[in-house]
Amino acid sequence: MSAGPSPFVPPAQSSQPAPPARGTRLAGAVLTVATVLVGLMAGLFFAFDVSVMPGLAAGDEQTYVTAMRAFNKAIDGNPLFGMVFLLALVAAVLSAVLEFRGGRRAAALWVGAAAAAYLVVLLVTFTVNIPLNNELADAGDVAGMKDFEIVERFRTTWVTTNIIRTLLCTTALAALARALLLHGRTTR
């Protein structure tokens, strides 16, 4: 009889986990940043949907114009907002590339879907919301305004597109959360 290993004794296993795939930490960090940035944008749009715009709608037109101008000026002049607004897409695209290159194809697809949804948010913002904001800013002195048709467009078009932006950002956030889960499963 041979003195070899017994078939009933399992082979020795290493107590050290396998090293993570190359670039996994960077990919995870970028994916986390993309998730946080998109989450911040979803929260901002949601806050406008559920509090700011309904609150303004309850007041008069002059207050509506004055307040929206102040909000837009505060947002437009805030470099932190601009950074978050644009870097959310950059981080999502970079994350998709890193996940794909790291062999985490399922995570890359979810991040790609998130990036696509957020890109639509940017397109809606630049083609609808910002032009309306600019039109409101250029409407002249609020005390002398006689025609408040711009307020009606805000109550319909701007509010509707903001709801769309909220839904798209929330969709992107959910996709990024799924990608984080998949990333974590493949890097254990």
Side-chain angles (χ1 to χ4, degrees):
M1 197 150 189
S2 162
S6 166
F8 299 107
V9 178
Q13 294 183 6
S14 170
S15 63
Q16 298 294 327
R22 188 172 154 255
T24 299
R25 284 190 179 152
L26 176 62
V30 173
L31 178 54
T32 301
V33 168
T35 304
V36 169
L37 295 176
V38 170
L40 288 170
M41 292 310 303
L44 175 70
F45 295 137
F46 180 71
F48 267 82
D49 291 338
V50 300
S51 62
V52 174
M53 300 315 284
L56 288 177
D60 62 75
E61 281 82 1
Q62 290 174 324
T63 302
Y64 197 103
V65 170
T66 302
M68 279 306 298
R69 284 178 173 173
F71 296 145
N72 292 332
K73 185 176 179 182
I75 286 175
D76 291 346
N78 188 322
L80 181 59
F81 168 80
M83 216 170 48
V84 170
F85 183 63
L86 296 175
L87 285 181
L89 179 63
V90 172
V93 169
L94 179 58
S95 177
V97 169
L98 292 172
E99 291 297 327
F100 185 81
R101 288 179 138 192
R104 294 173 298 279
R105 306 285 195 257
L109 286 172
W110 282 100
V111 180
Y118 194 78
L119 178 61
V120 175
V121 168
L122 294 180
L123 292 172
V124 168
T125 301
F126 286 113
T127 61
V128 179
N129 296 87
I130 290 176
L132 280 171
N133 292 347
N134 292 339
E135 188 177 338
L136 186 68
D138 297 339
D141 181 31
V142 71
M145 286 178 77
K146 301 279 188 245
D147 179 16
F148 287 95
E149 187 263 332
I150 182 71
V151 172
E152 191 53 39
R153 282 206 310 280
F154 260 81
R155 287 182 176 149
T156 56
T157 305
W158 197 98
V159 169
T160 300
T161 56
N162 195 68
I163 291 169
I164 291 167
R165 294 188 300 177
T166 302
L167 293 172
L168 287 165
C169 267
T170 304
T171 299
L173 182 59
L176 289 167
R178 177 70 178 150
L180 275 170
L181 180 68
L182 293 171
H183 176 88
R185 283 183 183 167
T186 60
T187 58
R188 286 185 197 163

